[in-house]
Amino acid sequence: MEGLKELKEVMSCPCLRMRRATRQITQLYDHVLAGAGLTANQFGLLAYLFRADLADEDGLSIGKLAEQAGVDPTTLNRNLKALDAQGLTTDGRGSSDGRVRVVKITQKGKRTLQKAFPLWREARAQVEVALGSNALIELNALLDRAGTQISRVK
């Protein structure tokens, strides 16, 4: 039966497996980070913005932040609305190019991120316990390699 063979192929699909694992890990992080009032996505965005702040950058453009976060600008804008509503980020026009929208982390955003760091470490430790230290190191290396290699295929 041809359909059964195809179904077995689909069930071994790396995309489906990765999406399932990603959802499960994201749910774990979301649950733990809820103690700081953040989701895993929001935590990541604040971390990128904080890194830019520490580097004395004047915020990040929507395009640059979207690239770093690995999301499209439309999704990024939707995610930023919640952060902006909480007063964790602010946006304005770029100083060198007034047409560019630039996002910055606020002082409240920095305090929230600092509060979230121990929770993030707790979530990461839970993942490490579940997978094992060596497997987590290998997984991170494989994900980095996959991201680099797959981006070349597009």
Side-chain angles (χ1 to χ4, degrees):
M1 179 185 271
E2 188 63 27
L4 185 56
K5 180 183 177 205
E6 289 173 343
L7 186 57
K8 286 181 180 179
E9 282 183 69
V10 170
M11 292 301 117
S12 67
C13 174
C15 180
L16 296 178
R17 289 170 179 237
M18 192 173 301
R19 288 180 58 85
R20 182 181 64 224
T22 299
R23 278 192 305 275
Q24 291 168 338
I25 290 173
T26 300
Q27 287 172 355
L28 184 152
Y29 275 83
D30 283 348
H31 176 73
V32 174
L33 288 168
L38 296 174
T39 65
N41 283 337
Q42 293 168 339
F43 176 84
L45 292 175
L46 288 177
Y48 291 124
L49 293 170
F50 187 52
R51 179 177 63 189
D53 186 75
L54 290 175
D56 287 327
E57 294 180 34
D58 192 31
L60 291 175
S61 70
I62 291 294
K64 187 164 188 162
L65 183 55
E67 181 183 317
Q68 289 181 12
V71 298
D72 64 83
T74 303
T75 301
L76 175 62
N77 279 315
R78 191 171 50 246
N79 291 332
L80 286 172
K81 283 182 183 179
L83 293 173
D84 188 53
Q86 294 177 62
L88 305 179
T89 60
T90 186
D91 64 80
R93 297 291 162 198
S95 57
S96 62
D97 185 347
R99 297 170 296 170
V100 175
R101 182 172 158 218
V102 174
V103 182
K104 299 177 186 180
I105 190 169
T106 63
Q107 289 301 319
K108 183 179 179 185
K110 292 175 192 179
R111 289 190 305 272
T112 301
L113 187 61
Q114 290 297 325
K115 179 181 175 184
F117 278 134
L119 299 172
W120 171 83
R121 284 187 193 95
E122 178 185 327
R124 188 193 180 287
Q126 289 181 32
V127 171
E128 188 169 355
V129 166
L131 299 179
S133 297
N134 289 337
L136 184 57
I137 290 167
E138 291 171 8
L139 175 62
N140 285 336
L142 180 59
L143 291 170
D144 289 344
R145 191 172 83 228
T148 300
Q149 296 300 106
I150 299 297
S151 70
R152 293 179 184 158
V153 173
K154 293 190 242 178

